[in-house]
Each structure stands twice: as C-alpha cells, then as structure tokens.
Amino acid sequence: DARQAVGDHFPSAFPAVFAACMSAGIDPRHQPIPVAPACHYHMGGIVTDAWGRTDLPGLLAAGECASTGVHGANRLASNSLIEAAVFGTRAGLLAREAVSPALRPISDLMPRALAAKDLATLRTAMSREAGVIRSGPGLSRLLGTLDALQHGTTPCLPLIAGRLVAEAAIARRESRGGHFRSDYPQTGAGYRTFTHLAAPAPASRVPAE
C-alpha cells in the first residue's frame, strides 16, 4: 500500500512501476498494489572459479546462474551487483580472449525453445509444483509433465532446466532457504548437493566381420 508513503509522487518516483500498474488497470496513487508470492527456481547455480570458468571447457557462468562462493547458497536480488560488476566483467574479458573456432554455442547443439503451448504448460507446471511450496507427489507430477513434453521431441533447454530443478528438489528431503518441502518441513544436516554431467557412455565394440 503506497497511497500515503508515495501517493501523488508515484509517477515521478517510480515511473516504470507506475506505468506497469496503470497498464494493468491499477492506480497505485489511490489503490493498493496486489502482490503474489514468487520463488527463484535457481539458487547457487553453476560452480565457477574467480573468472567464471566452469569445469566444462568453453562454458563460463556469471550472475544468478553462478555459484562463485561469494554469497553462499542463496541468490538474492541485492547480491547481484557484485555478480554483474565483478564476475560478469571478468567472464566477459576471459570470453573475449578465449574465442576458439572449436567452441560452439549451446544453442547450436539443441533447440532453444519449445512450442508456445508446450512452454505455457511447462511454466504452469513449474509454478504449481516447484514454486514456493513443494512436495514429493507434486514434484513427481512435474516429472511426469516433463516426460510427456519430452516425448517425441529432441532435448531442449527449458526441459533440461526444468528437469534439473525437479530432480534436485525431489532428492532433497528437507527444507532450506527458498526450498520448502511440505512433506519434509524440517532442515536437515548441513550439506550441499551437486549435479554433474554424466560421463559419456563407452562406444560399443562391434566384432569385425
């Protein structure tokens, strides 16, 4: 409720928020602004060194997707400044120096997006089952949705990201930070969990004819 705290100054004090509210039919000078709980799906993220390097050659990470060790496990909005100003700059400088014809963008390796209706289904399922409150049955339903969306299509980045979130959340049978399991509300023993890329399967040996 900003009617008294900001009031008639809202258009000049917060022009972007004011425009967004007005576009939704809400005048924050005279009406409270409706709010809803939200959740950052990714916190912690990809482990890097001080220059944004990961253990996958050619992959750099900076910002909210990265775990630099500066901010601990949680990624909160006020922590992002050092990520952008320091680690983003470092990763950019390193990327500029490490350009190689042998490196290919991830977008070249797999489709970047789902069909619009499938992406809408994924977003709804992620918000419902992996949002503010999670549970084993809900996360299992989410995995089922991911399986259904995966059927008949090649792997794509939204489905891979959704599966990483779902499988990590269903494996962590405790509540901690932004991860709350209604069926496991207590915080467990302190630990960090890591998800690693699977090693490539060995090539099959075909007997010579």
Side-chain angles (χ1 to χ4, degrees):
D1 188 345
R3 290 175 291 183
Q4 292 187 12
V6 184
D8 291 338
H9 300 290
F10 214 114
S12 58
F14 303 101
V17 177
F18 182 75
C21 289
M22 294 297 288
S23 69
I26 299 161
D27 188 338
R29 296 169 296 185
H30 308 294
Q31 299 169 265
I33 304 171
V35 297
C39 181
H40 282 209
Y41 291 121
H42 294 280
M43 287 191 251
I46 305 166
V47 177
T48 73
D49 66 8
W51 286 86
R53 282 181 292 238
T54 70
D55 58 3
L56 185 63
L59 178 64
L60 304 174
E64 293 202 2
C65 69
S67 177
T68 60
V70 174
H71 298 304
N74 281 347
R75 295 295 305 114
L76 303 177
S78 59
N79 291 341
S80 298
L81 182 58
I82 192 172
E83 295 290 342
V86 176
F87 296 104
T89 300
R90 288 182 173 185
L93 291 172
L94 190 65
R96 184 179 63 185
E97 297 172 2
V99 173
S100 167
L103 299 177
R104 297 172 59 195
I106 291 178
S107 58
D108 287 352
L109 306 179
M110 61 185 69
R112 298 181 64 183
L114 287 169
K117 65 180 182 62
D118 291 337
L119 186 60
T121 297
L122 176 61
R123 286 174 169 169
T124 299
M126 290 294 296
S127 295
R128 182 179 61 243
E129 311 294 10
V132 177
I133 299 176
R134 305 166 177 183
S135 70
L139 292 165
S140 294
R141 288 192 296 270
L142 176 56
L143 288 171
T145 300
L146 289 164
D147 289 339
L149 292 173
Q150 180 68 59
H151 181 70
T153 185
T154 54
C156 61
L157 299 180
L159 290 179
I160 292 171
R163 187 170 297 278
L164 286 171
V165 170
E167 292 186 351
I170 203 169
R172 183 170 281 246
R173 297 183 177 182
E174 63 152 2
S175 292
R176 179 188 301 269
H179 168 74
F180 181 79
R181 285 278 300 264
S182 59
D183 45 351
Y184 292 97
Q186 302 301 317
T187 299
Y191 64 88
R192 294 180 69 187
T193 54
F194 295 89
T195 301
H196 299 275
L197 290 173
S204 58
R205 296 181 177 273
V206 180
E209 293 182 356

mmCIF file of all heavy atoms in Angstrom, residues 129 134-143 170 181-183:
data_model
loop_
_atom_site.group_PDB
_atom_site.id
_atom_site.type_symbol
_atom_site.label_atom_id
_atom_site.label_comp_id
_atom_site.label_asym_id
_atom_site.label_seq_id
_atom_site.Cartn_x
_atom_site.Cartn_y
_atom_site.Cartn_z
ATOM 1 N N GLU A 129 4.121 -26.842 -9.112
ATOM 2 C CA GLU A 129 4.730 -27.970 -8.403
ATOM 3 C C GLU A 129 6.126 -27.686 -7.846
ATOM 4 O O GLU A 129 6.584 -28.383 -6.958
ATOM 5 C CB GLU A 129 4.805 -29.192 -9.339
ATOM 6 C CG GLU A 129 3.511 -29.528 -10.058
ATOM 7 C CD GLU A 129 2.380 -30.003 -9.128
ATOM 8 O OE1 GLU A 129 2.526 -29.909 -7.886
ATOM 9 O OE2 GLU A 129 1.356 -30.462 -9.651
ATOM 10 N N ARG A 134 6.689 -27.015 -2.123
ATOM 11 C CA ARG A 134 6.900 -28.218 -2.926
ATOM 12 C C ARG A 134 6.555 -29.449 -2.097
ATOM 13 O O ARG A 134 6.560 -29.414 -0.880
ATOM 14 C CB ARG A 134 8.357 -28.289 -3.382
ATOM 15 C CG ARG A 134 8.816 -27.049 -4.126
ATOM 16 C CD ARG A 134 10.320 -26.990 -4.272
ATOM 17 N NE ARG A 134 10.729 -25.829 -5.055
ATOM 18 C CZ ARG A 134 11.979 -25.565 -5.377
ATOM 19 N NH1 ARG A 134 12.962 -26.365 -4.980
ATOM 20 N NH2 ARG A 134 12.265 -24.500 -6.090
ATOM 21 N N SER A 135 6.300 -30.538 -2.785
ATOM 22 C CA SER A 135 6.055 -31.810 -2.105
ATOM 23 C C SER A 135 6.486 -32.936 -3.031
ATOM 24 O O SER A 135 6.575 -32.745 -4.255
ATOM 25 C CB SER A 135 4.571 -31.977 -1.750
ATOM 26 O OG SER A 135 3.789 -32.174 -2.923
ATOM 27 N N GLY A 136 6.724 -34.116 -2.447
ATOM 28 C CA GLY A 136 7.110 -35.261 -3.257
ATOM 29 C C GLY A 136 6.099 -35.592 -4.338
ATOM 30 O O GLY A 136 6.467 -35.737 -5.519
ATOM 31 N N PRO A 137 4.801 -35.716 -3.982
ATOM 32 C CA PRO A 137 3.807 -36.021 -5.024
ATOM 33 C C PRO A 137 3.747 -34.963 -6.115
ATOM 34 O O PRO A 137 3.636 -35.286 -7.299
ATOM 35 C CB PRO A 137 2.489 -36.090 -4.239
ATOM 36 C CG PRO A 137 2.896 -36.469 -2.849
ATOM 37 C CD PRO A 137 4.214 -35.781 -2.625
ATOM 38 N N GLY A 138 3.827 -33.690 -5.732
ATOM 39 C CA GLY A 138 3.783 -32.630 -6.736
ATOM 40 C C GLY A 138 4.983 -32.660 -7.659
ATOM 41 O O GLY A 138 4.853 -32.484 -8.880
ATOM 42 N N LEU A 139 6.165 -32.900 -7.096
ATOM 43 C CA LEU A 139 7.365 -32.979 -7.917
ATOM 44 C C LEU A 139 7.331 -34.200 -8.830
ATOM 45 O O LEU A 139 7.826 -34.147 -9.961
ATOM 46 C CB LEU A 139 8.602 -33.006 -7.021
ATOM 47 C CG LEU A 139 8.872 -31.698 -6.264
ATOM 48 C CD1 LEU A 139 9.881 -31.917 -5.145
ATOM 49 C CD2 LEU A 139 9.347 -30.603 -7.215
ATOM 50 N N SER A 140 6.716 -35.286 -8.359
ATOM 51 C CA SER A 140 6.551 -36.461 -9.215
ATOM 52 C C SER A 140 5.628 -36.144 -10.387
ATOM 53 O O SER A 140 5.866 -36.572 -11.517
ATOM 54 C CB SER A 140 6.009 -37.638 -8.404
ATOM 55 O OG SER A 140 6.943 -38.060 -7.433
ATOM 56 N N ARG A 141 4.558 -35.391 -10.101
ATOM 57 C CA ARG A 141 3.671 -34.972 -11.194
ATOM 58 C C ARG A 141 4.432 -34.096 -12.189
ATOM 59 O O ARG A 141 4.231 -34.208 -13.403
ATOM 60 C CB ARG A 141 2.459 -34.214 -10.637
ATOM 61 C CG ARG A 141 1.445 -35.075 -9.918
ATOM 62 C CD ARG A 141 0.152 -34.320 -9.659
ATOM 63 N NE ARG A 141 0.348 -33.188 -8.753
ATOM 64 C CZ ARG A 141 0.243 -33.261 -7.435
ATOM 65 N NH1 ARG A 141 -0.034 -34.421 -6.855
ATOM 66 N NH2 ARG A 141 0.408 -32.198 -6.682
ATOM 67 N N LEU A 142 5.298 -33.220 -11.670
ATOM 68 C CA LEU A 142 6.083 -32.363 -12.544
ATOM 69 C C LEU A 142 6.992 -33.185 -13.443
ATOM 70 O O LEU A 142 7.105 -32.908 -14.648
ATOM 71 C CB LEU A 142 6.915 -31.388 -11.705
ATOM 72 C CG LEU A 142 7.881 -30.480 -12.455
ATOM 73 C CD1 LEU A 142 7.165 -29.653 -13.521
ATOM 74 C CD2 LEU A 142 8.618 -29.567 -11.478
ATOM 75 N N LEU A 143 7.630 -34.205 -12.891
ATOM 76 C CA LEU A 143 8.474 -35.078 -13.708
ATOM 77 C C LEU A 143 7.646 -35.772 -14.781
ATOM 78 O O LEU A 143 8.109 -35.965 -15.911
ATOM 79 C CB LEU A 143 9.192 -36.093 -12.828
ATOM 80 C CG LEU A 143 10.328 -35.526 -11.965
ATOM 81 C CD1 LEU A 143 10.816 -36.582 -10.981
ATOM 82 C CD2 LEU A 143 11.481 -35.033 -12.835
ATOM 83 N N ILE A 170 13.290 -33.064 -5.576
ATOM 84 C CA ILE A 170 12.706 -34.304 -5.052
ATOM 85 C C ILE A 170 13.752 -35.119 -4.289
ATOM 86 O O ILE A 170 13.427 -35.881 -3.374
ATOM 87 C CB ILE A 170 12.067 -35.128 -6.189
ATOM 88 C CG1 ILE A 170 10.995 -36.070 -5.623
ATOM 89 C CG2 ILE A 170 13.109 -35.901 -6.997
ATOM 90 C CD1 ILE A 170 10.124 -36.722 -6.672
ATOM 91 N N ARG A 181 9.813 -28.063 1.419
ATOM 92 C CA ARG A 181 9.062 -29.291 1.159
ATOM 93 C C ARG A 181 8.007 -29.437 2.249
ATOM 94 O O ARG A 181 8.330 -29.591 3.428
ATOM 95 C CB ARG A 181 10.000 -30.498 1.183
ATOM 96 C CG ARG A 181 10.909 -30.671 -0.026
ATOM 97 C CD ARG A 181 10.207 -31.338 -1.200
ATOM 98 N NE ARG A 181 9.725 -32.655 -0.888
ATOM 99 C CZ ARG A 181 10.374 -33.793 -1.160
ATOM 100 N NH1 ARG A 181 11.559 -33.740 -1.753
ATOM 101 N NH2 ARG A 181 9.850 -34.970 -0.876
ATOM 102 N N SER A 182 6.739 -29.396 1.871
ATOM 103 C CA SER A 182 5.670 -29.521 2.865
ATOM 104 C C SER A 182 5.676 -30.888 3.530
ATOM 105 O O SER A 182 5.202 -31.035 4.662
ATOM 106 C CB SER A 182 4.313 -29.259 2.210
ATOM 107 O OG SER A 182 4.074 -30.172 1.137
ATOM 108 N N ASP A 183 6.227 -31.903 2.840
ATOM 109 C CA ASP A 183 6.295 -33.231 3.435
ATOM 110 C C ASP A 183 7.593 -33.447 4.212
ATOM 111 O O ASP A 183 7.743 -34.448 4.902
ATOM 112 C CB ASP A 183 6.140 -34.313 2.357
ATOM 113 C CG ASP A 183 6.966 -34.051 1.103
ATOM 114 O OD1 ASP A 183 7.541 -32.953 0.978
ATOM 115 O OD2 ASP A 183 7.020 -34.933 0.233
#
